[in-house]
Amino acid sequence: LMDRLLDLPACILVTTGRTGSDLLQSLLDSHPEVLTFNGVLRFYAEFVPVSLCMTRESFEVSDVFDEFVGHFIERFNSRYDYVEKKDKLGKDRAQALVLDTREFRRHAVSLMLDQEPSKGNILLAIYGAYNLCLSHDLLETKILFHHSHHFDELDLFLKDFPSASVLVTTRDPRATFVSGIENWRKFSWNHDNQIHLFVYIKRILEDSEPCASRSVRYAAVRLEDLMREDAMRAIADWLGISFQPSMLESTWGGLHWYGDRLSTDSLKPVGWTPDRSNNNWRERLGAVDLYVLNYLMYHRLQRYQYASRPVRWWDALILPVLLCLPLSYERRFLKPSYLVANLKRRDLRTALTLVVTPWYYLRRIALFFRYYLRTTRGRSFDGPWIGGPRDVGRDPPLPDAENKSGL
């Protein structure tokens, strides 16, 4: 069985924010030809560096798998996966995915017999053992699907799987911005600061471009298209697998999933609708926000067929002033009430975050100027994406009246 796993092509999944990477993986969860895991697995970036076993010169592979189970217990008993709301799986929203960890360990050790205890082999054994616990036939699998979530895992993964392809989930960047700021703020006060805003908007602006500097096959997938049959068929073709009806259902371990706890509304695990991922970003962003983001990402909005207004020559004269003004979400960080509330926490990390807020505000301005120059110089965005171009799912042009900028 391990020989079969070693021959599998690999694909790594990364995201540019709250753009549906978990949803995409859940749509492949029950596919018999896909070797995947229960959610994000930052094996190289988070597990290996802190592993007491793998940081030693020699170790027992059985100990590694014991350590792995302890580190990721929520993946084996999803009642502990609170953030992803996997304690509310199934049609009755009262089930959890529970695997026998002893069976997992037994399968993993068996797969590693006569194999070099390298990071890549251990990772394959983890995937193989997980799928065997779900009674999946490893001989039917055609691709290893690794969800790293962030780009920092990508280069580490490529060292062991150099021919891997990369899928990047994307979304209307304005909707991503609203979701990433507002939903995280409601869920955790640790994300309600200028640092989070800078890191998040940077990921949004970069989109799939980090892949362009690497010699990899890659493509983006729009969140707005996920669960629509023609889009899922296109994804299956790109991955080299057959289309299965299970690709239209969001599941973990075969149990229906209704979205994470950061989402304000429960998502239906079956059925695509045009407004499935709509979060009313037009009303929730300020007029200046809409005007600035349209200019900075104009070519990308056009490429992905999202609503936009034409860029005019005088926009380039207005933008330098607007880029220095606080975004609507940034104005919150300047309010005395925000400062007082955070100081009352008497938390060192919070205090340090307040101290560096001006620095990250300046970094945000510098970042915006970089993308301003790209648009002004006419640099296009030509990142490949699955499903386009086409008319189905295309947003209509954004009229000037809707833009609300008055500029």
Side-chain angles (χ1 to χ4, degrees):
L1 289 178
M2 190 63 169
D3 290 338
R4 173 63 177 172
L5 302 186
L6 289 168
D7 288 337
L8 289 177
C11 178
I12 185 169
L13 174 65
V14 292
T15 182
T16 57
R18 289 187 54 76
T19 57
S21 62
D22 289 298
L23 174 60
L24 175 56
Q25 186 184 8
S26 73
L27 298 175
L28 299 174
D29 168 74
S30 297
H31 199 299
E33 298 171 5
V34 179
L35 189 75
T36 188
F37 192 67
N38 180 9
V40 177
L41 178 55
R42 291 173 52 74
F43 177 77
Y44 292 95
E46 291 185 0
F47 177 70
V48 172
V50 300
S51 169
L52 297 179
C53 299
M54 298 186 70
T55 52
R56 297 290 298 271
E57 291 185 5
S58 62
F59 53 85
E60 295 291 332
V61 290
S62 59
D63 293 337
V64 173
F65 299 128
D66 284 335
E67 186 180 27
F68 181 84
V69 169
H71 192 87
F72 293 106
I73 188 61
E74 74 280 7
R75 310 305 170 83
F76 298 92
N77 189 335
S78 70
R79 65 188 287 251
Y80 302 116
D81 204 344
Y82 180 80
V83 175
E84 298 299 332
K85 205 162 70 174
K86 292 180 184 175
D87 56 333
K88 303 292 184 181
L89 298 175
K91 293 183 179 180
D92 58 357
R93 307 190 191 195
Q95 299 180 62
L97 173 61
V98 181
L99 300 182
D100 186 335
T101 56
R102 291 171 296 181
E103 181 186 0
F104 170 82
R105 180 182 183 274
R106 185 169 64 252
H107 286 314
V109 171
S110 177
L111 288 169
M112 284 298 296
L113 288 177
D114 301 322
Q115 300 293 332
E116 178 188 354
S118 64
K119 292 190 289 289
N121 286 346
I122 290 173
L123 181 63
L124 285 174
I126 289 170
Y127 273 88
Y130 171 80
N131 282 265
L132 286 172
C133 287
L134 292 173
S135 300
H136 293 173
D137 186 352
L138 298 188
L139 296 178
E140 287 190 33
T141 55
K142 293 184 177 180
I143 192 167
L144 166 67
F145 195 78
H146 180 65
H147 184 183
S148 72
H149 208 68
H150 294 289
F151 279 102
D152 62 343
E153 173 102 347
L154 176 58
D155 289 326
L156 299 171
F157 183 82
L158 290 175
K159 289 180 180 179
D160 286 332
F161 303 91
S163 60
S165 302
V166 184
L167 265 183
V168 182
T169 53
T170 192
R171 180 185 189 180
D172 188 307
R174 296 153 299 191
T176 308
F177 189 40
V178 168
S179 179
I181 300 302
E182 294 192 7
N183 288 358
W184 270 114
R185 177 197 297 168
K186 294 174 184 176
F187 187 79
S188 170
W189 60 266
N190 284 324
H191 291 80
D192 184 20
N193 54 64
Q194 182 71 40
I195 297 177
H196 172 70
L197 185 144
F198 169 77
V199 172
Y200 202 80
I201 195 65
K202 183 174 182 290
R203 291 175 65 193
I204 292 173
L205 289 168
E206 289 176 346
D207 198 65
S208 65
E209 288 193 327
C211 296
S213 61
R214 297 167 172 86
S215 300
V216 295
R217 172 179 177 256
Y218 75 97
V221 179
R222 302 192 329 170
L223 169 60
E224 293 84 356
D225 298 331
L226 295 182
M227 300 187 80
R228 202 181 67 236
E229 184 171 337
D230 67 303
M232 299 311 298
R233 287 184 179 274
I235 292 172
D237 289 342
W238 194 87
L239 291 173
I241 59 177
S242 63
F243 171 77
Q244 300 280 340
S246 64
M247 296 178 69
L248 303 179
E249 292 191 38
S250 174
T251 64
W252 295 111
L255 299 172
H256 280 166
W257 181 55
Y258 299 86
D260 60 26
R261 278 190 165 82
L262 271 72
S263 301
T264 53
D265 299 312
S266 292
L267 302 177
K268 294 181 179 180
V270 181
W272 176 86
T273 57
D275 60 349
R276 177 182 173 87
S277 58
N278 177 45
N279 62 5
N280 298 316
W281 56 264
R282 287 175 173 86
E283 290 74 33
R284 295 161 81 170
L285 291 173
V288 173
D289 299 342
L290 293 172
Y291 186 70
V292 167
L293 294 176
N294 180 84
Y295 189 91
L296 298 183
M297 293 181 280
Y298 175 72
H299 294 295
R300 194 168 106 216
L301 295 174
Q302 290 281 295
R303 176 68 173 173
Y304 288 144
Q305 301 177 354
Y306 289 128
S308 63
R309 62 172 290 276
V311 170
R312 302 176 176 88
W313 65 266
W314 58 81
D315 293 335
L317 303 179
I318 299 172
L319 259 292
V321 175
L322 298 183
L323 297 184
C324 298
L325 299 178
L327 299 170
S328 57
Y329 289 132
E330 289 178 318
R331 290 198 292 269
R332 169 181 171 80
F333 307 138
L334 302 176
K335 293 180 179 179
S337 57
Y338 171 83
L339 298 174
V340 171
N342 278 275
L343 289 173
K344 284 183 177 179
R345 298 184 190 278
R346 297 186 178 182
D347 176 75
L348 178 59
R349 178 180 175 182
T350 303
L352 292 175
T353 299
L354 294 175
V355 170
V356 300
T357 290
W359 168 242
Y360 276 89
Y361 179 73
L362 293 175
R363 290 188 66 184
R364 195 276 297 163
I365 294 174
L367 177 70
F368 274 23
F369 266 102
R370 193 168 82 209
Y371 282 86
Y372 160 79
L373 291 175
R374 290 175 51 153
T375 302
T376 305
R377 293 169 179 170
R379 179 175 170 181
S380 63
F381 176 88
D382 56 1
W385 62 289
I386 300 173
R390 64 174 186 289
D391 292 325
V392 178
R394 175 184 293 185
D395 285 341
L398 186 65
D400 286 348
E402 272 193 74
N403 194 43
K404 300 191 303 183
S405 68
L407 299 173

